[in-house]
mmCIF file of all heavy atoms in Angstrom:
data_model
loop_
_atom_site.group_PDB
_atom_site.id
_atom_site.type_symbol
_atom_site.label_atom_id
_atom_site.label_comp_id
_atom_site.label_asym_id
_atom_site.label_seq_id
_atom_site.Cartn_x
_atom_site.Cartn_y
_atom_site.Cartn_z
ATOM 1 N N ALA A 513 -60.430 24.599 21.631
ATOM 2 C CA ALA A 513 -60.233 25.996 21.220
ATOM 3 C C ALA A 513 -59.418 26.092 19.929
ATOM 4 O O ALA A 513 -59.725 26.894 19.033
ATOM 5 C CB ALA A 513 -59.550 26.789 22.336
ATOM 6 N N GLU A 554 -53.550 3.770 28.003
ATOM 7 C CA GLU A 554 -52.970 3.320 29.271
ATOM 8 C C GLU A 554 -51.995 4.344 29.875
ATOM 9 O O GLU A 554 -51.430 4.112 30.935
ATOM 10 C CB GLU A 554 -52.243 1.990 29.075
ATOM 11 C CG GLU A 554 -53.122 0.878 28.514
ATOM 12 C CD GLU A 554 -54.280 0.523 29.441
ATOM 13 O OE1 GLU A 554 -54.061 0.476 30.665
ATOM 14 O OE2 GLU A 554 -55.399 0.330 28.922
ATOM 15 N N LEU A 579 -48.835 7.947 8.231
ATOM 16 C CA LEU A 579 -49.693 6.811 8.563
ATOM 17 C C LEU A 579 -49.069 5.477 8.199
ATOM 18 O O LEU A 579 -49.526 4.443 8.649
ATOM 19 C CB LEU A 579 -51.051 6.960 7.879
ATOM 20 C CG LEU A 579 -51.856 8.169 8.312
ATOM 21 C CD1 LEU A 579 -53.165 8.236 7.540
ATOM 22 C CD2 LEU A 579 -52.109 8.145 9.791
ATOM 23 N N LEU A 586 -55.118 -0.086 13.902
ATOM 24 C CA LEU A 586 -55.591 1.242 13.565
ATOM 25 C C LEU A 586 -55.867 1.375 12.076
ATOM 26 O O LEU A 586 -56.868 1.938 11.665
ATOM 27 C CB LEU A 586 -54.571 2.297 14.011
ATOM 28 C CG LEU A 586 -54.986 3.754 13.806
ATOM 29 C CD1 LEU A 586 -56.310 4.060 14.475
ATOM 30 C CD2 LEU A 586 -53.914 4.690 14.324
ATOM 31 N N PRO A 596 -54.092 -4.297 5.537
ATOM 32 C CA PRO A 596 -53.067 -3.454 6.156
ATOM 33 C C PRO A 596 -51.795 -3.351 5.315
ATOM 34 O O PRO A 596 -51.182 -2.296 5.252
ATOM 35 C CB PRO A 596 -52.787 -4.145 7.500
ATOM 36 C CG PRO A 596 -54.023 -4.898 7.790
ATOM 37 C CD PRO A 596 -54.572 -5.331 6.459
ATOM 38 N N LEU A 641 -57.608 18.825 48.541
ATOM 39 C CA LEU A 641 -57.452 18.308 47.193
ATOM 40 C C LEU A 641 -56.546 19.208 46.351
ATOM 41 O O LEU A 641 -55.693 18.723 45.620
ATOM 42 C CB LEU A 641 -58.813 18.129 46.504
ATOM 43 C CG LEU A 641 -58.782 17.616 45.067
ATOM 44 C CD1 LEU A 641 -58.094 16.245 45.007
ATOM 45 C CD2 LEU A 641 -60.185 17.539 44.504
#
Side-chain angles (χ1 to χ4, degrees):
E554 303 298 319
L579 297 178
L586 184 56
L641 179 59

